[in-house]
Amino acid sequence: MSPKKSKTQGGSINERIGQIYSSLSKSHKITADYVVGNSFRAATMSIDELADAVGISNATANRFARALGFDGYPQFRAELVSGFETMLAPIEGLRSEISMASSSSEVINRSLSDDISNLEATRREFRSDIYDRAVKMILEAENIYIVGYGASAYLGGIMCHALTNYCNNVQANIGTGGPAQVARTLYKFSERDLVIAISFPRYSSDVVTLAGQAKRRGVPILALTDRPGSPIATIADLTLYTPTKPQFNSEGIVLCLIEAICAAVAHQSESPVDIAAETTELMLPWLHHGKK
């Protein structure tokens, strides 16, 4: 006999479960408890993985999905994934990569090809007026704060290092006391300064919050991100885009964009050759030049 279909027709997974929890079988209640307590984890699972985690059969997992008003497990999981898309994209990409049963050399070759394709896409979308504005914003800012978390914090550190010689005052949040300390610093910023926000999937809520606070104080925001739907793209005064890989973010692609921007800043700054010569002279004691 086919299971009785639930009368629930909409709502979140938790709402659907709440509507019918008292009428669920014991195994379905165990499954419901697991899903409610581990919604993100459950969203990453295939039907086999969920069944193993809960201790039920695949058929029971399918019946649980239908009890919630879905046609089957795929539709149930699609609803679970809703809202977690950017966080789950690397996991799904890795799952797909593993399913191809590729050798190490094939993975490396495919990864390099993805990088090249994304860099070519960035160059195809290149608009000189946008990048000219970005360079002007950097050069005219009295103070610059580069905000990024996770891998973006390290990218921000590299950008800070590259811009230091050509800008009045550049800071990055890497090594600071956390978002609260950054917020205290940005509180002193004004429309004469600049915040550079770096965020790629999975987007950091701290970057979004800090950029939003700075924006409300009238501080110009320059964003580096992957697409117009990015949460910092809607905050920024100017956004530079570069796509990333579906499996996991390629910091190399973002680094190429950062290096290109910094090269343009160096070129457009006052007396770049003199600055480079003075910097090299200053660093001579720490540079190996073959003399003993």
Side-chain angles (χ1 to χ4, degrees):
M1 180 182 294
S2 61
K4 184 179 179 180
K5 191 168 183 178
S6 165
K7 294 180 180 180
T8 60
Q9 297 297 323
S12 68
I13 296 292
N14 285 4
E15 288 171 340
R16 290 172 183 248
I17 288 174
Q19 291 170 22
I20 63 169
Y21 186 83
S22 62
S23 65
L24 291 176
S25 66
K26 181 179 179 180
S27 60
H28 283 178
K29 284 181 178 177
I30 294 172
T31 308
D33 291 341
Y34 182 87
V35 170
V36 171
N38 305 273
S39 56
F40 177 78
R41 184 70 166 164
T44 70
M45 293 178 164
S46 66
I47 188 169
D48 296 325
E49 291 167 335
L50 179 65
D52 286 343
V54 180
I56 58 175
S57 67
N58 287 14
T60 300
N62 251 324
R63 286 194 293 271
F64 172 72
R66 290 199 291 272
L68 295 181
F70 298 101
D71 292 334
Y73 189 83
Q75 292 75 26
F76 161 73
R77 184 166 179 262
E79 180 63 27
L80 262 184
V81 167
S82 178
F84 290 130
E85 289 91 344
T86 57
M87 289 177 276
L88 287 171
I91 298 171
E92 294 304 305
L94 182 58
R95 190 193 304 276
S96 176
E97 190 76 42
I98 292 172
S99 69
M100 294 180 185
S102 304
S103 66
S104 296
S105 60
E106 288 171 333
V107 172
I108 292 170
N109 184 60
R110 195 155 52 239
S111 178
L112 291 172
S113 296
D114 286 345
D115 279 342
I116 292 169
S117 295
N118 283 332
L119 284 172
E120 288 177 343
T122 302
R123 188 165 58 177
R124 281 196 303 272
E125 297 298 321
F126 179 85
R127 286 180 51 189
S128 58
D129 59 323
I130 297 295
Y131 282 86
D132 286 344
R133 282 179 59 197
V135 171
K136 185 178 180 181
M137 289 173 75
I138 292 171
L139 286 172
E140 292 183 351
E142 292 184 5
N143 301 285
I144 298 173
Y145 206 107
I146 305 171
V147 181
Y149 285 92
S152 293
Y154 296 97
L155 291 168
I158 292 172
M159 191 174 196
C160 179
H161 171 77
L163 292 177
T164 295
N165 288 341
Y166 308 101
C167 302
N168 293 328
N169 179 36
V170 188
Q171 302 177 70
N173 66 280
I174 188 169
T176 66
Q181 181 61 38
V182 176
R184 289 166 63 90
T185 303
L186 293 183
Y187 183 77
K188 303 173 185 176
F189 274 44
S190 72
E191 68 278 358
R192 298 185 301 273
D193 304 312
L194 176 67
V195 167
I196 301 177
I198 306 175
S199 189
F200 289 81
R202 312 164 188 178
Y203 306 110
S204 167
S205 60
D206 288 335
V207 174
V208 177
T209 300
L210 290 166
Q213 289 179 347
K215 178 75 172 182
R216 287 191 290 274
R217 293 186 58 78
V219 182
I221 310 294
L222 172 62
L224 275 62
T225 191
D226 65 321
R227 59 192 177 92
S230 163
I232 62 167
T234 58
I235 299 173
D237 297 278
L238 187 67
T239 304
L240 305 180
Y241 299 104
T242 188
T244 55
K245 296 178 182 177
Q247 307 96 300
F248 51 87
N249 293 336
S250 174
E251 280 72 48
I253 297 170
V254 185
L255 181 57
C256 284
L257 177 62
I258 287 173
E259 288 179 341
I261 296 165
C262 294
V265 169
H267 185 270
Q268 295 298 321
S269 65
E270 295 182 7
S271 306
V273 176
D274 292 342
I275 293 173
E278 291 176 9
T279 302
T280 302
E281 183 177 5
L282 180 67
M283 295 175 61
L284 274 177
W286 296 276
L287 298 177
H288 179 74
H289 44 84
K291 292 182 180 181
K292 296 184 179 180

